[in-house]
Amino acid sequence: MTSWTHVLAVVVGAARPDGDVYAHFGSLLGFDAHLAVAEELGLVLPAPEPIADDAPEILLADAGRAFVRQFQLTKLPAGRANYWNLRHASLTEPASTELACRWEALRARHSSIQNGAS
């Protein structure tokens, strides 16, 4: 099951000056699934090879940069994403709703392509 808060955490982490996509996770359990959703939505992308030792492995895509700007996600505090909804729901709820809508639209496009190819 996708946690939109944790997909946001990947995107917000990529938007940090240090690009630390892990910064808002207390545990990396499920991280890869949330990263995969953020990648499929075109918000982040893998860094091109070779990756320097101090360089981020995941980069913020142009669409991710626009998303962060649109929803003012740089205003979210440092620390674990699990706590964002307690005091920052005015930022996380609209962004999470938009992620869910984009995901459903993407799933619908994939489904129609598969149905058209049958």
Side-chain angles (χ1 to χ4, degrees):
M1 179 173 190
T2 301
S3 160
W4 300 118
T5 297
H6 290 95
V7 175
L8 285 175
V10 171
V11 176
V12 172
R16 291 166 46 109
D18 63 2
D20 185 359
V21 293
Y22 308 106
H24 302 291
F25 287 82
S27 160
L28 296 181
L29 184 65
F31 175 83
D32 289 342
H34 296 105
L35 172 60
V37 171
E39 285 180 338
E40 196 164 346
L41 289 171
L43 301 173
V44 297
L45 49 97
E49 298 285 338
I51 301 170
D53 289 341
D54 59 344
E57 294 178 21
I58 305 298
L59 303 175
L60 192 62
D62 290 341
R65 196 169 290 103
F67 189 85
V68 167
R69 196 171 34 252
Q70 177 184 355
F71 292 99
Q72 303 176 12
L73 298 178
T74 56
K75 292 182 178 182
L76 288 168
R80 293 179 61 179
N82 285 345
Y83 302 113
W84 287 347
N85 287 334
L86 297 176
R87 294 198 175 162
H88 303 283
S90 63
L91 296 171
T92 59
E93 286 179 7
S96 293
T97 299
E98 178 63 20
L99 286 176
C101 289
R102 290 182 184 193
W103 185 250
E104 289 305 315
L106 185 63
R107 294 286 123 226
R109 279 195 304 272
H110 286 316
S111 179
S112 68
I113 290 170
Q114 288 177 346
N115 290 338
S118 311

